[in-house]
Amino acid sequence: MAKKSAVEKNEHRRKLAKNYSGKRARLKALVQNKELPIEERFAAVLKLAELPRNSAKVRIRNRCEVTGRPRAFYRKLKMSRIALRELGSQGQVPGLVKSSW
């Protein structure tokens, strides 16, 4: 099991990213618009820099929903390889056939 503080920090980042996604997208569109004057684009860059760093989607870490493990994460299943193996052994993952001989 991962540290509870690490899991909570990641959840906080998810909330911030969701809240600021619209504002961040608008500012990025202004920055990338080559037709605007350079002063407006630079002002948009400064506004973007003022936003909280944890509101960037890039800072969210994929973590296992069962254990909170940050590595060996399967996106499709939203869990780590270890949790998948344990649940597969118990027969709780539909469609998963775990071989053993």
Side-chain angles (χ1 to χ4, degrees):
M1 199 65 192
K3 287 183 3 181
K4 191 170 183 179
S5 61
V7 175
E8 289 300 316
K9 185 189 294 185
N10 206 41
E11 286 304 312
H12 181 68
R13 286 177 176 162
R14 283 187 193 279
K15 286 180 192 170
L16 280 176
K18 188 178 177 185
N19 288 344
Y20 284 95
S21 64
K23 189 172 189 177
R24 194 170 272 280
R26 283 192 299 275
L27 288 171
K28 278 192 176 185
L30 289 176
V31 170
Q32 293 171 355
N33 187 356
K34 302 289 184 188
E35 296 172 3
L36 291 176
I38 193 75
E39 293 83 20
E40 277 188 50
R41 291 173 57 204
F42 188 67
V45 169
L46 294 177
K47 288 270 190 196
L48 195 60
E50 287 177 5
L51 295 179
R53 285 188 177 185
N54 282 338
S55 68
K57 195 175 179 186
V58 173
R59 292 176 71 100
I60 298 172
R61 177 80 183 191
N62 285 329
R63 287 186 171 269
C64 173
E65 290 193 352
V66 179
T67 61
R69 181 180 164 87
R71 309 217 174 180
F73 176 83
Y74 292 118
R75 286 175 185 244
K76 190 172 185 179
L77 302 169
K78 295 186 178 177
M79 67 174 71
S80 68
R81 62 180 173 82
I82 297 169
L84 177 65
R85 184 175 171 83
E86 288 175 2
L87 293 176
S89 294
Q90 297 168 5
Q92 293 182 351
V93 181
L96 181 75
V97 179
K98 188 172 174 299
S99 63
S100 60
W101 61 89

